[in-house]
Amino acid sequence: MSAKNTGNPNRLVNEAPTVIGMMSAVIERGGSIDTAVRDVADNGPEKSAKMFRDIVIKADTRQIPDISGGLSEMLSGVPSEAVAYKRAVHMAMAASVSSDRPERERMLTSASEISLSGLKDIGERYSTSLNIPCMMIFGLGIMVPMVLMSILPMLNIGGIFGNSPIGSGPITIVTLVLIPAAMTLAIVSVREKNPFAGPSGKTDVRYIFPIMLIVPSAAVCFIVTGDIRISVMAAAGVTGAASLAVAMPYVNREKTREKQEAALQDSVFELGSRLISGENYETAVTAAVGSKPECLAISEDVSAGLRMCRGDVCSAINSSVGKVSSRISDVLCDVYRCSTKDARDAGRLAVSVGRQLQDQDAVRRGIKTKLKSMTDMMVGTAAVFAPLVLGMSVTMLNPISKVMDGVDLGNTSAIISVYLIELCALISVLTSLLGGKTDVRDIMYRLGAMLPVSMAVFALCSAVSL
């Protein structure tokens, strides 16, 4: 896979710290650049793994003289926007041929710093680039429907459009079809520009099934109540709550896993200190993992796996730690392989890799913090501000509808209710993408959390009598 065909080059920069971390782990324990490239090809992040795998295949089939030459050729095709990726990998290549250990460590540290600096830069650029599309979504999501659904009917009553007033049909089509379509295009644009977007998750029907019941639920409610507005809002609120209940266990498990992964990153330092002090690997890794309260159960799994693995330590580590974080599992296996030659060298490797992991985590947390304000604004728009404004707009029509014909308040409220459902769905997708996730379970959790609140706010505001 050519570096020119990787899509958004910023996604390469996002992968750079992980790639450099993997290469550094191999090079620091005395491995060659060939071994480092093969490790990234087998276990690296998506786009880099494809490019490195292409190099390995070409080298194995004698299409290129060696892996080092193929890597240099691949880097020459990296777009200029991903220059940090190119420089960091070049620095790692230089470190791999250095015979002076302190100099090699300095080069690898420099490569890590270059990759992290590039990651910070694309994070700042991306957060800045979100201002215009998010403001456009904000304007489309609130102001345009408010004008269409409340101000235009009042202007029709005033006769400003003469003998050809704008009917409810075109307004409904614009509100329910054209505006969501325009917002969808904006969200797709945000998705394509997002350098932190992960691979698409598998669609599990179990998690989308509750929200699929909204239409039949609304039909049943309408048969019972005879009021389409109440039917739509009730069905949306109930199915939204059901979606939240179904997706919440997954979200809770993922939060627990993320806490455990963060604790495991810290335990890599602990492992390094213990190895340097002279402990053997099996004792050190069990104690290091168990030093964090969140990872006590994992430590027990590690201890049990090491007793039963019959010498296959990496298999025991992968089966216990790998279910929480495959990246940390790979690091622990690299440290183990190094410890079979020299335990203290393995300890220094663990300390170095642990520092890199913490640096990466600090940078990514900073980027998420910058994006959080944008995410919170979008959630507030869909869950509170939009239903509040649109609900009050409907309320403004109430006294007018009592004295003049021409305003169908019931239909207006029903249309806005359907529109708010669409808005919550779109904002759920947008906020999930901003967080770098494309898992349907995360999207349904966000939708389930917003939809009942949005319906409740709109019901309260639209019920106010003026």
Side-chain angles (χ1 to χ4, degrees):
M1 180 179 181
S2 172
K4 295 181 179 179
N5 299 324
T6 57
N8 186 352
N10 286 336
R11 293 185 184 175
L12 281 180
V13 182
N14 178 46
E15 294 179 354
T18 303
V19 172
I20 295 303
M22 296 179 70
M23 296 180 73
S24 296
V26 173
I27 294 169
E28 282 190 5
R29 70 170 189 259
S32 65
I33 190 65
D34 290 23
T35 305
V37 170
R38 290 180 184 276
D39 186 34
V40 175
D42 292 337
N43 307 304
E46 181 183 11
K47 294 185 178 298
S48 296
K50 289 181 180 178
M51 295 190 301
F52 280 54
R53 197 176 302 123
D54 187 49
I55 295 171
V56 171
I57 292 173
K58 288 182 177 180
D60 290 344
T61 56
R62 299 293 187 269
Q63 298 180 50
I64 56 176
D66 53 44
I67 285 181
S68 180
L71 185 58
S72 297
E73 181 182 351
M74 182 273 289
L75 291 175
S76 66
V78 171
S80 58
E81 295 88 346
V83 65
Y85 184 92
K86 182 188 300 186
R87 289 175 179 172
V89 176
H90 270 306
M91 187 67 71
M93 292 175 65
S96 69
V97 297
S98 175
S99 57
D100 183 36
R101 181 167 185 163
E103 181 184 13
R104 182 167 67 244
E105 291 178 351
R106 285 195 298 271
M107 287 182 175
L108 291 174
T109 299
S110 179
S112 178
E113 291 173 350
I114 290 171
S115 66
L116 290 174
S117 177
L119 182 62
K120 289 180 182 177
D121 184 50
I122 64 169
E124 292 174 357
R125 290 205 308 266
Y126 179 63
S127 61
T128 302
S129 71
L130 291 175
N131 290 331
I132 292 178
C134 287
M135 287 301 102
M136 185 182 78
I137 291 172
F138 181 81
L140 285 173
I142 297 178
M143 302 311 297
V144 175
M146 183 184 70
V147 170
L148 291 175
M149 302 306 297
S150 60
I151 296 179
L152 278 183
M154 287 189 286
L155 293 177
N156 277 336
I157 294 172
I160 194 171
F161 298 110
N163 296 325
S164 301
I166 299 176
S168 61
I171 294 176
T172 301
I173 292 174
V174 172
T175 303
L176 299 184
V177 179
L178 297 184
I179 293 176
M183 293 174 64
T184 301
L185 292 177
I187 292 173
V188 170
S189 173
V190 170
R191 169 71 171 85
E192 292 300 319
K193 294 178 181 178
N194 187 359
F196 311 109
S200 299
K202 296 181 179 179
T203 300
D204 193 332
V205 179
R206 291 177 299 172
Y207 293 94
I208 64 174
F209 181 73
I211 206 67
M212 293 170 61
L213 297 176
I214 191 169
V215 174
S217 299
V220 172
C221 290
F222 180 72
I223 294 173
V224 174
T225 64
D227 189 320
I228 188 171
R229 179 181 69 92
I230 294 176
S231 301
V232 171
M233 289 191 293
V238 171
T239 55
S243 297
L244 179 64
V246 170
M248 187 174 288
Y250 159 76
V251 174
N252 290 337
R253 288 195 303 269
E254 184 63 15
K255 288 180 179 178
T256 301
R257 190 201 65 79
E258 289 175 354
K259 290 180 180 179
Q260 291 177 331
E261 185 175 30
L264 285 172
Q265 288 182 1
D266 295 337
S267 70
V268 175
F269 264 117
E270 177 76 12
L271 172 62
S273 299
R274 289 177 176 274
L275 289 174
I276 292 173
S277 67
E279 289 188 32
N280 65 60
Y281 179 85
E282 288 79 359
T283 302
V285 71
T286 303
V289 173
S291 64
K292 305 297 179 181
E294 301 90 339
C295 300
L296 288 176
I298 301 174
S299 176
E300 293 175 0
D301 289 344
V302 171
S303 179
L306 291 174
R307 289 195 302 267
M308 301 175 63
C309 68
R310 298 181 179 181
D312 191 358
V313 173
C314 287
S315 175
I317 295 297
N318 288 330
S319 62
S320 54
V321 178
K323 61 186 179 183
V324 176
S325 172
S326 59
R327 177 74 183 108
I328 304 300
S329 174
D330 292 340
V331 168
L332 296 180
C333 289
D334 287 339
V335 174
Y336 165 72
R337 284 188 283 267
C338 185
S339 71
T340 58
K341 300 177 182 177
D342 189 307
R344 286 180 171 80
D345 277 351
R348 286 189 285 270
L349 170 63
V351 170
S352 176
V353 175
R355 186 193 67 248
Q356 291 181 17
L357 291 173
Q358 289 189 340
D359 290 343
Q360 292 178 31
D361 191 52
V363 171
R364 295 186 188 279
R365 277 201 311 268
I367 294 171
K368 287 182 179 179
T369 300
K370 290 181 179 180
L371 292 176
K372 190 175 186 301
S373 60
M374 193 73 67
T375 302
D376 290 345
M377 184 189 73
M378 292 292 100
V379 171
T381 296
V384 179
F385 194 54
L388 176 66
V389 171
L390 295 175
M392 295 305 296
S393 299
V394 170
T395 300
M396 292 169 55
L397 293 176
N398 193 32
I400 299 175
S401 66
K402 292 179 180 179
V403 298
M404 301 186 68
D405 296 329
V407 178
D408 189 348
L409 185 59
N411 286 342
T412 300
S413 297
I415 292 169
I416 292 179
S417 299
V418 175
Y419 170 73
L420 289 173
I421 296 172
E422 295 179 342
L423 179 64
C424 287
L426 291 170
I427 297 300
S428 298
V429 174
L430 174 61
T431 53
S432 183
L433 294 179
L434 290 178
K437 299 178 180 179
T438 54
D439 195 304
V440 68
R441 294 170 291 188
D442 185 72
I443 294 173
M444 298 309 299
Y445 174 79
R446 295 171 186 269
L447 177 59
M450 283 190 284
L451 201 51
V453 177
S454 179
M455 292 296 104
V457 171
F458 179 68
L460 290 174
C461 293
S462 60
V464 175
S465 300
L466 294 179

